[in-house]
């Protein structure tokens, strides 16, 4: 009986304990559901649901005439939700099973990276593993995307096919290498160029989209409704002229190859505004090709050599210490400064030269002795004068990476007894090409120094947001009379001096050649295998300066290294292109006898363009057929006669006398493939005019002067 009571007692106790435990568990359940539940659910949502940023479309970068230089091209990541609608979605399951074979074949044919069997296996395996966001391919182009949307299964739409498309953007340069370093880029490595300096303006304001994290740590958009649209970035209108930029880079590369140079640069600036119209920077690779991988115009500060001589002479003239007609003793072109021998590159014409002659022939001895005689007792005043020109100070450009200029003072530790004469001819100092050009541009601009700049306007969908006006660094660097004297001296360099090869143009050029031996870091100036830097800096037309330009070629290695022979030809090719494209630079024809009309030789071409040009030149014109598209040109007694050039379908057009551009246009529109040789006007075509031809047939045209 007692045993039975003990058992019952234990059962009762156990029951009570179970009840207590049940109450505790129930309490915990109620606590979780009522008190902690919302917090837990909110925490879970925070791990799987988030508003993710949507990058705004980056603004475009345009040339000065509106041509696209940098743009963002959409690219796409393609994925498939292999469980779209869940496992009970019979419609999706049916669509998937019926379309997977055809889809795999189409994907294989489009991308050509995997076989149809491999595509099918990968997608089906992802489906069996329950992958909700399986990646098919990254970085798909827009045109490929349009094809892909019409593939079996995918053409049923997003929810019936599981197709998921993620749009991204890729930066593209339509003109490829042209000014690419100046345009720059935004990457994980140090950003450079306009892209970097104007990143805030280009970036725009990002949007938001509600996303859910699924397997594989992949975030997937939930709906198209929970979206805050981004605001596109602004567009930039640069100062770059694509036509001149093209000539600058092609000419620079041609001459770098000709002289087997290590690298080189060229920059063209508008005198009155400081707008950079062209900027080229090329480096030789190990394979012998030339690429843009560093902005030498902005970033490389080196010893400028003889281009510094103009600043030295301007300092002495403006201080009233010398005149261009003064003379200086140069002896045999060798002079010793405290044990250091300074030599001229060529023997002087005479033992005594005028300062004008010393400058024109770039006499090291003549210029250094002129400055020595003027400033030997007050060298710091010479240094101060150079710095008053803006030399030795950064320009503080809108683009980052400006090289640090150095013109040392007399109290610097490196100053020596020979510093004054060597600085006067461009050694013991460092200056970038753009800093030197800015100084020469000020001389061309009647003393007013303007800041070089690369961007003219900021726009948004065509609407002007901000324009950049001319920024003046110094109102005047020297007196008008001093500037007039050095301008005449620079004209003499081209007319009679070291750049006389440029004295063949229909417009006047003023400038200065430069040839500097390059120091080899810790080894100094090598005597056995010296390396040189050739340069030319100047402006044109000299009598009414419109553009300034500097060209620097580093380490030419084919035994020709003087600035007049290596750098000046690049300057001329750029200047010729600018001159030919800007009729306002041309001087009006001068006729001593008004009764005589000198008619020019004109190419055949489009009537509309010819009439416009001839009207600008005030050339009398008679048109036989006003409605004719293309015309030939014949010279009459007192006028040019334009005759219609008739073409018939299937017959070879007559392009004799045309320039290459017009000839290509007419022949290719007729259905011919064209090969060109020579320069000038068409003097011969391999298939006679009027001959019947087959579409796609090749015709060769020979150009000549």
């Amino acid at each position: 009986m007692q045993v039975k009571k003990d058992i019952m007692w234990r059962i009762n106790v156990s029951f009570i304990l179970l009840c207590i435990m049940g109450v505790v568990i129930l309490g915990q359940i109620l606590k979780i559901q009522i008190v902690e539940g919302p917090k837990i659910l909110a925490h879970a949502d925070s791990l799987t649901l988030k508003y993710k940023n949507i990058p705004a479309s980056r603004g475009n970068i345009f040339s000065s005439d509106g041509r696209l230089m940098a743009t963002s091209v959409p690219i796409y990541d393609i994925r498939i939700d292999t469980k779209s609608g869940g496992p009970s979605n019979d419609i999706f399951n049916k669509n998937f099973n019926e379309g997977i074979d055809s889809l795999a074949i189409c994907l294989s044919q489009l991308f050509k990276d995997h076989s149809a069997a491999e595509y099918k296996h990968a997608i089906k395996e992802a489906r069996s593993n329950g992958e909700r966001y399986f990646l098919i391919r990254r970085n798909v182009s827009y045109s490929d995307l349009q094809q892909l949307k019409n593939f079996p299964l995918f053409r049923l739409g997003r929810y019936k096919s599981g197709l998921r498309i993620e749009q991204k953007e890729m930066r593209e340069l339509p003109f490829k290498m042209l000014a690419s370093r100046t345009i720059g880029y935004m990457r994980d490595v140090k950003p450079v160029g306009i892209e970097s300096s104007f990143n805030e303006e280009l970036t725009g304001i990002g949007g938001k989209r509600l996303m859910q994290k699924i397997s594989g740590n992949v975030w997937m958009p939930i709906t198209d409704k929970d979206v805050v649209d981004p605001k596109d970035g602004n567009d930039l209108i640069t100062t770059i002229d694509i036509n001149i930029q093209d000539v600058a880079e092609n000419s620079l590369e041609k001459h770098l190859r000709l002289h087997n140079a290590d690298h080189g640069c060229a920059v063209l600036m508008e005198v009155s505004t400081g707008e950079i119209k062209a900027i080229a920077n090329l480096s030789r690779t190990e394979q012998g090709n030339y690429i843009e991988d560093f902005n030498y115009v902005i970033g490389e500060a080196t010893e400028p050599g003889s281009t510094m001589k103009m600043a030295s002479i301007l300092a002495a003239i403006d201080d009233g210490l010398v005149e261009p007609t003064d003379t200086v003793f140069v002896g045999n072109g060798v002079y010793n400064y405290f044990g250091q021998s300074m030599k001229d590159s060529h023997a002087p014409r005479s033992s005594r030269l005028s300062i004008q002659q010393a400058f024109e022939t770039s006499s090291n001895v003549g210029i250094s002795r002129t400055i020595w005689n003027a400033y030997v007792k007050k060298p710091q005043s010479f240094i101060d004068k150079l710095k008053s020109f803006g030399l030795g100070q950064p320009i503080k450009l809108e683009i980052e990476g400006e090289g640090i200029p150095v013109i040392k003072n007399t109290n610097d530790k490196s100053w020596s007894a020979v510093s004054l004469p060597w600085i006067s001819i461009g050694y013991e100092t460092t200056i970038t090409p753009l800093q030197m050009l800015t100084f020469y541009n000020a001389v061309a601009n009647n003393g007013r120094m303007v800041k070089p700049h690369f961007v003219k306007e900021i726009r948004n969908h065509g609407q002007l947001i901000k324009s950049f006006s001319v920024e003046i660094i110094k109102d005047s660097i020297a007196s008008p009379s001093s500037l007039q004297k050095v301008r005449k001296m620079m004209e003499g360099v081209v007319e009679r001096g070291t750049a006389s090869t440029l004295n063949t143009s229909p417009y006047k050029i003023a400038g200065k050649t430069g040839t500097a031996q390059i120091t080899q870091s810790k080894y100094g100036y090598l005597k056995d295998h010296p390396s040189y830097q050739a340069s030319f800096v100047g402006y044109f037309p000299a009598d009414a300066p419109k553009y300034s330009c500097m060209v620097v070629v580093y380490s030419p290695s084919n035994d020709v290294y003087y600035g007049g022979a290596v750098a000046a030809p690049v300057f001329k090719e750029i200047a010729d292109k600018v001159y030919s494209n800007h009729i306002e630079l041309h001087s009006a024809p001068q006729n001593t006898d008004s009764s005589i009309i000198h008619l020019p030789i004109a190419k055949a071409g489009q009537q509309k363009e010819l009439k416009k040009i001839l009207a600008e030149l005030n050339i009398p014109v008679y048109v036989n057929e006003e409605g004719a598209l293309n015309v030939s040109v014949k010279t009459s007694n007192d006028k040019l006669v334009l005759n219609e050039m008739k073409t018939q379908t299937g017959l070879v057009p007559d392009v004799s006398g045309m320039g290459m551009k017009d000839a290509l246009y007419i022949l290719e529109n007729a259905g011919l493939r064209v090969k060109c040789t020579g320069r000038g006007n068409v003097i011969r075509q391999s298939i006679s005019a009027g001959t019947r031809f087959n579409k796609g047939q090749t015709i060769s045209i020979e150009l000549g002067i």
Side-chain angles (χ1 to χ4, degrees), residues 308-322 371 374-375 378-393 407-410 415 420 423-424 429 431 439 442-443 447 449 474 476-483 486:
M308 190 71 173
K309 291 173 181 175
M310 196 271 281
S312 299
I313 292 301
L314 177 59
I317 291 175
D318 202 49
D319 279 344
L321 301 176
V322 300
I371 299 305
Y375 293 101
K378 48 178 181 179
Q380 186 59 46
S381 66
F382 173 68
I383 299 300
D384 292 340
K385 192 68 175 180
L386 293 180
K387 291 184 177 180
S388 76
F389 297 152
L391 294 170
Q393 301 163 26
I407 296 179
K408 58 188 175 184
N409 293 312
T410 54
W415 184 273
L420 177 62
I423 289 174
S424 74
T429 185
I431 297 174
F439 165 65
V443 173
M449 180 174 283
K474 291 179 180 292
S476 182
I477 62 170
S479 70
S481 61
S482 299
L483 293 167
V486 294

Coordinates of all heavy atoms in Angstrom, one line a residue, residues 308-322 371 374-375 378-393 407-410 415 420 423-424 429 431 439 442-443 447 449 474 476-483 486:
M308 N 64.9 78.1 -72.5 CA 65.0 79.0 -71.4 C 65.6 80.4 -71.8 O 65.5 81.4 -71.0 CB 65.7 78.3 -70.3 CG 65.7 79.1 -68.9 SD 64.1 79.0 -68.2 CE 64.4 79.7 -66.6
K309 N 66.4 80.4 -72.9 CA 67.1 81.5 -73.2 C 66.3 82.8 -73.5 O 66.7 83.9 -73.3 CB 68.0 81.2 -74.5 CG 69.1 80.2 -74.2 CD 69.9 79.8 -75.4 CE 71.0 78.8 -75.1 NZ 71.6 78.2 -76.3
M310 N 65.1 82.6 -74.0 CA 64.2 83.7 -74.2 C 63.8 84.4 -72.9 O 63.8 85.6 -72.8 CB 62.9 83.3 -75.0 CG 62.2 84.4 -75.6 SD 61.0 85.1 -74.5 CE 59.6 83.9 -74.7
A311 N 63.5 83.6 -71.9 CA 63.2 84.2 -70.6 C 64.4 84.9 -70.0 O 64.3 86.0 -69.4 CB 62.8 83.1 -69.6
S312 N 65.6 84.4 -70.2 CA 66.8 85.1 -69.7 C 67.0 86.4 -70.4 O 67.3 87.4 -69.8 CB 68.1 84.2 -70.0 OG 67.9 82.9 -69.3
I313 N 66.9 86.4 -71.7 CA 67.1 87.7 -72.5 C 66.0 88.7 -72.2 O 66.2 89.9 -72.0 CB 67.2 87.4 -74.0 CG1 68.4 86.6 -74.3 CG2 67.1 88.7 -74.8 CD1 69.7 87.3 -74.0
L314 N 64.7 88.2 -72.0 CA 63.6 89.1 -71.7 C 63.9 89.8 -70.3 O 63.6 90.9 -70.1 CB 62.3 88.3 -71.7 CG 61.1 89.2 -71.2 CD1 60.9 90.4 -72.2 CD2 59.8 88.3 -71.2
A315 N 64.4 89.0 -69.4 CA 64.8 89.5 -68.0 C 65.8 90.7 -68.2 O 65.6 91.8 -67.6 CB 65.3 88.4 -67.1
A316 N 66.8 90.4 -68.9 CA 67.9 91.5 -69.0 C 67.4 92.7 -69.8 O 67.7 93.8 -69.4 CB 69.1 90.9 -69.7
I317 N 66.6 92.5 -70.8 CA 66.0 93.6 -71.6 C 65.0 94.4 -70.7 O 65.1 95.6 -70.7 CB 65.3 93.1 -72.9 CG1 66.4 92.6 -73.9 CG2 64.5 94.2 -73.6 CD1 65.8 92.0 -75.1
D318 N 64.1 93.7 -70.0 CA 63.1 94.4 -69.2 C 63.7 95.1 -68.0 O 63.2 96.1 -67.6 CB 62.1 93.4 -68.8 CG 60.7 94.0 -68.4 OD1 60.3 94.9 -69.2 OD2 60.2 93.8 -67.3
D319 N 64.9 94.6 -67.6 CA 65.6 95.3 -66.5 C 66.4 96.5 -67.0 O 67.1 97.2 -66.2 CB 66.5 94.3 -65.7 CG 65.7 93.5 -64.7 OD1 64.5 94.0 -64.4 OD2 66.2 92.5 -64.2
G320 N 66.4 96.7 -68.3 CA 67.2 97.8 -68.9 C 68.6 97.6 -68.9 O 69.4 98.6 -69.0
L321 N 69.1 96.3 -68.9 CA 70.5 96.0 -68.9 C 71.2 95.7 -70.2 O 72.4 95.9 -70.4 CB 70.8 94.8 -67.9 CG 70.3 95.0 -66.5 CD1 70.5 93.8 -65.7 CD2 71.0 96.2 -65.8
V322 N 70.4 95.3 -71.2 CA 70.9 95.0 -72.5 C 69.9 95.4 -73.6 O 68.7 95.6 -73.3 CB 71.2 93.5 -72.7 CG1 72.3 93.1 -71.7 CG2 70.0 92.7 -72.6
I371 N 74.1 87.3 -69.7 CA 73.5 87.2 -68.4 C 74.5 87.4 -67.3 O 74.3 88.1 -66.3 CB 72.7 85.9 -68.2 CG1 71.6 85.9 -69.3 CG2 72.1 85.8 -66.8 CD1 70.6 87.1 -69.3
A374 N 75.5 91.0 -67.0 CA 74.4 91.8 -66.5 C 74.1 91.5 -65.0 O 73.7 92.5 -64.3 CB 73.2 91.6 -67.3
Y375 N 74.3 90.3 -64.5 CA 73.8 89.9 -63.2 C 74.8 89.3 -62.3 O 74.5 88.9 -61.2 CB 72.6 89.0 -63.3 CG 71.4 89.5 -63.9 CD1 71.1 89.3 -65.3 CD2 70.5 90.3 -63.2 CE1 69.9 89.8 -65.8 CE2 69.3 90.8 -63.7 CZ 69.1 90.6 -65.1 OH 67.9 91.1 -65.6
K378 N 74.5 90.6 -58.8 CA 73.2 90.5 -58.2 C 72.4 89.4 -58.8 O 71.4 89.5 -59.4 CB 72.4 91.8 -58.4 CG 72.5 92.3 -59.9 CD 71.7 93.6 -60.1 CE 71.7 94.1 -61.5 NZ 70.9 95.3 -61.8
P379 N 72.9 88.1 -58.6 CA 72.3 87.0 -59.3 C 70.9 86.7 -58.8 O 70.0 86.2 -59.5 CB 73.2 85.8 -58.9 CG 74.0 86.3 -57.7 CD 74.1 87.8 -57.9
Q380 N 70.6 87.1 -57.5 CA 69.2 86.8 -57.0 C 68.2 87.7 -57.7 O 67.1 87.3 -57.9 CB 69.2 87.1 -55.5 CG 67.8 86.7 -54.9 CD 67.5 85.3 -55.0 OE1 68.3 84.4 -54.8 NE2 66.2 85.0 -55.4
S381 N 68.6 88.9 -58.2 CA 67.7 89.7 -58.9 C 67.3 89.1 -60.3 O 66.2 89.2 -60.8 CB 68.2 91.1 -59.2 OG 69.4 91.1 -60.0
F382 N 68.3 88.3 -60.9 CA 68.0 87.6 -62.1 C 66.9 86.5 -61.8 O 66.0 86.3 -62.5 CB 69.2 87.0 -62.7 CG 69.0 86.0 -63.8 CD1 68.6 86.5 -65.0 CD2 69.3 84.7 -63.7 CE1 68.4 85.7 -66.1 CE2 69.1 83.8 -64.8 CZ 68.6 84.3 -66.0
I383 N 67.2 85.7 -60.7 CA 66.2 84.7 -60.3 C 64.9 85.2 -60.0 O 63.8 84.7 -60.4 CB 66.8 83.9 -59.1 CG1 68.1 83.2 -59.4 CG2 65.8 82.9 -58.6 CD1 68.1 82.2 -60.5
D384 N 64.8 86.3 -59.3 CA 63.5 87.0 -59.0 C 62.8 87.4 -60.3 O 61.6 87.3 -60.3 CB 63.8 88.2 -58.1 CG 64.3 87.8 -56.7 OD1 64.1 86.6 -56.3 OD2 64.8 88.7 -56.0
K385 N 63.6 87.9 -61.2 CA 63.0 88.3 -62.5 C 62.3 87.1 -63.2 O 61.2 87.2 -63.7 CB 64.0 89.0 -63.4 CG 63.4 89.7 -64.6 CD 62.6 90.9 -64.1 CE 62.1 91.8 -65.3 NZ 61.3 92.9 -64.9
L386 N 63.0 86.0 -63.3 CA 62.5 84.8 -63.9 C 61.2 84.4 -63.2 O 60.2 84.0 -63.9 CB 63.5 83.7 -63.9 CG 64.8 83.8 -64.7 CD1 65.6 82.6 -64.5 CD2 64.5 84.0 -66.2
K387 N 61.2 84.4 -61.9 CA 60.0 84.0 -61.2 C 58.9 85.0 -61.3 O 57.7 84.6 -61.3 CB 60.3 83.8 -59.7 CG 61.3 82.6 -59.4 CD 61.5 82.4 -58.0 CE 62.4 81.2 -57.8 NZ 62.6 80.9 -56.3
S388 N 59.2 86.3 -61.6 CA 58.1 87.3 -61.9 C 57.4 87.0 -63.2 O 56.3 87.4 -63.4 CB 58.7 88.7 -61.9 OG 59.4 88.9 -63.1
F389 N 58.0 86.2 -64.1 CA 57.4 85.7 -65.3 C 56.4 84.6 -65.1 O 55.8 84.1 -66.0 CB 58.4 85.3 -66.3 CG 59.4 86.4 -66.8 CD1 60.7 86.1 -67.2 CD2 59.0 87.7 -66.8 CE1 61.5 87.1 -67.6 CE2 59.9 88.7 -67.2 CZ 61.1 88.4 -67.6
G390 N 56.4 84.1 -63.9 CA 55.6 82.9 -63.6 C 56.3 81.6 -63.7 O 55.8 80.5 -63.4
L391 N 57.6 81.7 -64.0 CA 58.4 80.5 -64.1 C 58.8 80.0 -62.7 O 59.0 80.8 -61.8 CB 59.6 80.7 -65.0 CG 59.4 81.0 -66.5 CD1 60.6 81.5 -67.2 CD2 58.8 79.8 -67.2
G392 N 58.9 78.7 -62.6 CA 59.3 78.1 -61.3 C 58.2 78.0 -60.3 O 58.3 77.6 -59.2
Q393 N 56.9 78.3 -60.8 CA 55.7 78.2 -59.9 C 54.7 77.3 -60.7 O 54.5 77.4 -61.9 CB 55.2 79.5 -59.7 CG 56.1 80.5 -59.0 CD 55.7 82.0 -59.2 OE1 54.5 82.2 -59.3 NE2 56.6 82.9 -59.1
I407 N 63.2 76.6 -59.8 CA 64.3 77.5 -60.1 C 64.9 77.9 -58.8 O 64.2 78.6 -58.0 CB 63.7 78.8 -60.9 CG1 63.2 78.3 -62.2 CG2 64.8 79.8 -61.1 CD1 62.6 79.5 -63.1
K408 N 66.1 77.5 -58.5 CA 66.6 77.7 -57.2 C 67.1 79.1 -56.9 O 67.4 79.9 -57.8 CB 67.8 76.7 -57.0 CG 68.9 76.8 -57.9 CD 69.9 75.7 -57.7 CE 71.0 75.7 -58.8 NZ 71.9 74.5 -58.6
N409 N 67.1 79.5 -55.6 CA 67.6 80.8 -55.2 C 69.0 80.7 -54.9 O 69.6 79.6 -54.7 CB 66.8 81.2 -53.9 CG 65.3 81.5 -54.2 OD1 65.0 82.2 -55.2 ND2 64.4 81.0 -53.4
T410 N 69.7 81.9 -54.7 CA 71.1 81.9 -54.5 C 71.5 81.4 -53.1 O 72.6 81.0 -52.8 CB 71.6 83.3 -54.6 OG1 70.9 84.2 -53.7 CG2 71.5 83.8 -56.0
W415 N 73.3 75.9 -54.9 CA 73.8 77.0 -55.7 C 75.3 77.1 -55.7 O 75.9 76.9 -54.6 CB 73.2 78.3 -55.1 CG 73.6 79.5 -55.9 CD1 74.8 80.3 -55.8 CD2 72.9 80.1 -57.0 NE1 74.8 81.3 -56.8 CE2 73.6 81.2 -57.5 CE3 71.7 79.8 -57.6 CZ2 73.2 82.0 -58.6 CZ3 71.2 80.6 -58.7 CH2 72.0 81.7 -59.1
L420 N 74.6 80.6 -62.1 CA 74.0 81.7 -62.9 C 74.1 81.5 -64.4 O 73.1 81.5 -65.1 CB 74.7 83.1 -62.5 CG 74.2 84.3 -63.3 CD1 72.7 84.5 -63.1 CD2 75.0 85.5 -62.9
I423 N 72.0 78.3 -65.5 CA 70.5 78.5 -65.4 C 70.1 79.3 -66.6 O 69.0 79.1 -67.2 CB 70.1 79.2 -64.1 CG1 70.3 78.2 -62.9 CG2 68.7 79.7 -64.1 CD1 70.0 78.8 -61.5
S424 N 70.9 80.3 -67.0 CA 70.5 81.2 -68.1 C 70.3 80.5 -69.4 O 69.6 81.0 -70.3 CB 71.6 82.3 -68.3 OG 72.8 81.7 -68.9
T429 N 67.7 73.7 -63.5 CA 66.3 74.1 -63.3 C 65.4 73.1 -64.0 O 65.8 72.5 -64.9 CB 66.0 75.5 -63.8 OG1 64.7 76.0 -63.5 CG2 66.2 75.6 -65.3
I431 N 61.3 72.5 -65.5 CA 60.0 73.1 -65.9 C 59.3 72.1 -66.8 O 59.9 71.4 -67.6 CB 60.3 74.4 -66.7 CG1 60.9 75.4 -65.8 CG2 59.0 75.0 -67.2 CD1 61.3 76.7 -66.5
F439 N 54.4 80.5 -70.5 CA 55.2 81.7 -70.5 C 55.3 82.2 -71.9 O 55.1 83.4 -72.1 CB 56.6 81.3 -69.9 CG 57.6 82.3 -70.2 CD1 57.6 83.6 -69.7 CD2 58.7 82.1 -71.1 CE1 58.5 84.6 -70.0 CE2 59.7 83.0 -71.3 CZ 59.6 84.3 -70.8
A442 N 52.2 83.9 -73.0 CA 52.1 85.3 -72.4 C 52.8 86.3 -73.3 O 52.4 87.4 -73.5 CB 52.6 85.3 -71.0
V443 N 54.0 85.9 -73.8 CA 54.7 86.8 -74.7 C 53.9 87.1 -75.9 O 53.8 88.2 -76.4 CB 56.1 86.2 -75.0 CG1 56.9 87.1 -76.1 CG2 57.0 86.1 -73.8
G447 N 51.9 90.1 -73.2 CA 52.3 90.1 -71.8 C 51.3 89.5 -70.8 O 51.6 89.2 -69.7
M449 N 49.3 86.8 -69.1 CA 49.5 85.3 -68.9 C 48.1 84.7 -68.5 O 47.6 85.1 -67.5 CB 50.5 85.0 -67.8 CG 50.7 83.5 -67.5 SD 52.1 83.2 -66.4 CE 53.5 83.5 -67.5
K474 N 48.6 86.6 -64.7 CA 49.3 87.9 -64.6 C 48.8 88.8 -65.7 O 48.7 88.4 -66.8 CB 50.8 87.7 -64.7 CG 51.5 87.0 -63.5 CD 53.0 86.9 -63.7 CE 53.6 86.1 -62.6 NZ 53.6 86.9 -61.3
S476 N 50.4 91.4 -66.8 CA 51.5 91.7 -67.7 C 52.8 91.1 -67.1 O 53.1 91.4 -65.9 CB 51.7 93.2 -68.0 OG 52.7 93.4 -68.9
I477 N 53.6 90.4 -67.8 CA 54.8 89.9 -67.3 C 56.0 90.8 -67.6 O 57.1 90.6 -67.0 CB 55.1 88.5 -67.9 CG1 55.3 88.5 -69.4 CG2 54.0 87.5 -67.5 CD1 55.8 87.2 -70.0
A478 N 55.9 91.7 -68.5 CA 57.0 92.6 -68.9 C 56.4 93.8 -69.6 O 55.2 93.9 -70.0 CB 58.0 91.9 -69.7
S479 N 57.2 94.8 -69.8 CA 56.8 96.0 -70.5 C 56.5 95.7 -72.0 O 57.1 94.8 -72.6 CB 57.9 97.1 -70.4 OG 59.0 96.8 -71.2
P480 N 55.6 96.5 -72.6 CA 55.3 96.3 -74.0 C 56.5 96.4 -74.9 O 56.6 95.6 -75.9 CB 54.2 97.4 -74.3 CG 53.6 97.7 -73.0 CD 54.7 97.5 -72.0
S481 N 57.4 97.4 -74.7 CA 58.6 97.5 -75.5 C 59.5 96.3 -75.4 O 60.1 95.9 -76.4 CB 59.3 98.8 -75.2 OG 59.8 98.7 -73.8
S482 N 59.7 95.8 -74.2 CA 60.5 94.6 -74.0 C 59.9 93.4 -74.7 O 60.7 92.6 -75.4 CB 60.7 94.3 -72.5 OG 61.3 95.3 -71.8
L483 N 58.6 93.2 -74.6 CA 58.0 92.1 -75.3 C 58.1 92.2 -76.8 O 58.3 91.2 -77.5 CB 56.5 92.0 -74.9 CG 56.2 91.7 -73.4 CD1 54.8 92.0 -73.1 CD2 56.6 90.2 -73.2
V486 N 61.7 91.0 -77.9 CA 61.9 89.5 -77.9 C 61.0 88.8 -78.9 O 61.5 87.8 -79.5 CB 61.7 88.9 -76.5 CG1 62.7 89.4 -75.5 CG2 60.3 89.1 -76.0

